[in-house]
Amino acid sequence: MAKTTLLNKESGMDDLEQQLTALITQIRQHPPQSLQWRLAMDRLLREIQQLPGLLKSSHHDYPAVLNRTFEWVSKNISKFEPYSGSVVESLVKWINSYLYRRIQDLSLPKKNTPLSLDAPITSDFGEITLLDKLPNFTLSGLDSLIENSQRENNQRIGLQLEHYIEQDPEEKLKNSYPRSCVECNCQLLSQRLILKEPPDKVAEIARDLSIPRTTVNSHWKRKCEPMLQKIAENLGYKQEQSL
């Protein structure tokens, strides 16, 4: 009985190793903030929360620290390299190296009196406020708040889109298919190319449906992707515009 339990644990760890590897690979294959990137990143962050050995703290600000750590992971996952043969062990150590410092910051003493940006200070140019001296800092802070808010909003939309694909409440996805194959509809393609971990290849789907690979690829590009983009926009997603 004990041997069977041990084998089950080892099998579960192997599955987790493969899943994390597949998610990290998928994230690196897609442009940051793209639909596929956000869906894969959201799944990775959910898996990270369940990893054994992740540092914990009873401090009331720990959730904020954890969210800050997840933001750091999102920005730096492309730099992650396993330290050993275990992706799980290496990922936990990598994340904990950052999370530990953030938890340590929670114990730093805080000043009793908050610094007022409107408090007058003396300078060579007369009496000014701290706000006058730090325009770039305050603008940068505002940009950071907006960026964080947008990221959280996009993650929420990613989950809603995933739910929409599975439910297809208006059957828009299911009713969009090439004339030659009803089964090759946008719901099935979305499930196999976006939601499945790891995603199937177009050639595999074409073989399963006994249709040409070009048919699957063409329908996905011409019909499904634009439809998913429109659905995401209806859910509130706004495509970032380059300056």
Side-chain angles (χ1 to χ4, degrees):
M1 181 67 178
K3 185 176 182 180
T4 302
T5 302
L6 179 60
L7 289 175
N8 290 337
K9 289 183 178 179
E10 291 178 349
S11 177
M13 288 299 292
D14 288 341
D15 291 342
L16 183 58
E17 290 276 337
Q18 295 176 6
Q19 187 172 10
L20 291 176
T21 300
L23 284 171
I24 294 172
T25 300
Q26 185 176 354
I27 289 170
R28 291 174 174 176
Q29 288 175 343
H30 298 291
Q33 299 306 323
S34 65
L35 176 62
Q36 293 87 347
W37 184 94
R38 287 185 287 108
L39 289 173
M41 179 59 70
D42 179 74
R43 292 194 196 95
L44 177 64
L45 294 180
R46 280 187 285 173
E47 289 296 333
I48 288 175
Q49 295 182 62
Q50 308 301 321
L51 289 179
L54 195 68
L55 290 177
K56 306 291 184 182
S57 172
S58 59
H59 196 283
H60 64 275
D61 286 333
Y62 174 75
V65 166
L66 194 60
N67 284 336
R68 183 177 175 185
T69 301
F70 289 157
E71 291 177 11
W72 176 83
V73 171
S74 299
K75 293 179 179 179
N76 294 278
I77 191 64
S78 60
K79 303 176 185 177
F80 167 73
E81 294 294 341
Y83 302 107
S84 63
S86 171
V87 175
V88 174
E89 179 181 339
S90 298
L91 188 61
V92 169
K93 288 183 178 179
W94 183 67
I95 295 172
N96 280 347
S97 66
Y98 179 88
L99 181 56
Y100 175 78
R101 295 194 299 271
R102 302 290 75 79
I103 292 177
Q104 289 296 103
D105 290 343
L106 295 176
S107 61
L108 294 177
K110 297 181 180 180
K111 293 183 179 180
N112 294 328
T113 305
L115 188 63
S116 173
L117 295 179
D118 296 322
I121 57 178
T122 303
S123 74
D124 294 337
F125 303 99
E127 191 175 86
I128 61 175
T129 68
L130 189 59
L131 185 62
D132 295 326
K133 296 187 65 177
L134 300 175
N136 293 332
F137 172 81
T138 55
L139 178 59
S140 174
L142 179 60
D143 289 341
S144 177
L145 289 174
I146 294 174
E147 180 183 351
N148 292 341
S149 176
Q150 290 174 339
R151 185 183 299 109
E152 293 175 0
N153 185 55
N154 286 342
Q155 289 178 350
R156 174 184 59 80
I157 293 171
L159 290 174
Q160 290 179 337
L161 181 60
E162 182 177 349
H163 180 74
Y164 187 99
I165 291 172
E166 292 289 4
Q167 300 297 321
D168 194 16
E170 301 169 286
E171 297 190 349
K172 290 181 178 180
L173 301 173
K174 189 179 299 182
N175 288 330
S176 178
Y177 51 83
R179 293 181 180 179
S180 58
C181 184
V182 176
E183 288 79 9
C184 183
N185 58 70
C186 289
Q187 184 185 37
L188 179 136
L189 295 184
S190 299
Q191 290 170 332
R192 297 189 61 171
L193 292 174
I194 296 180
L195 302 187
K196 190 174 180 180
E197 291 298 341
D200 289 333
K201 297 183 181 300
V202 171
E204 295 174 340
I205 299 175
R207 184 174 60 251
D208 292 344
L209 298 178
S210 301
I211 58 177
R213 178 181 180 277
T214 53
T215 300
V216 177
N217 190 62
S218 175
H219 187 66
W220 173 251
K221 293 294 184 182
R222 293 191 305 107
K223 297 294 184 179
C224 302
E225 282 192 341
M227 185 180 299
L228 289 174
Q229 182 67 35
K230 183 64 176 177
I231 293 171
E233 290 174 356
N234 289 339
L235 292 173
Y237 173 66
K238 294 181 180 180
Q239 185 71 36
E240 292 186 1
Q241 297 180 351
S242 59
L243 298 179

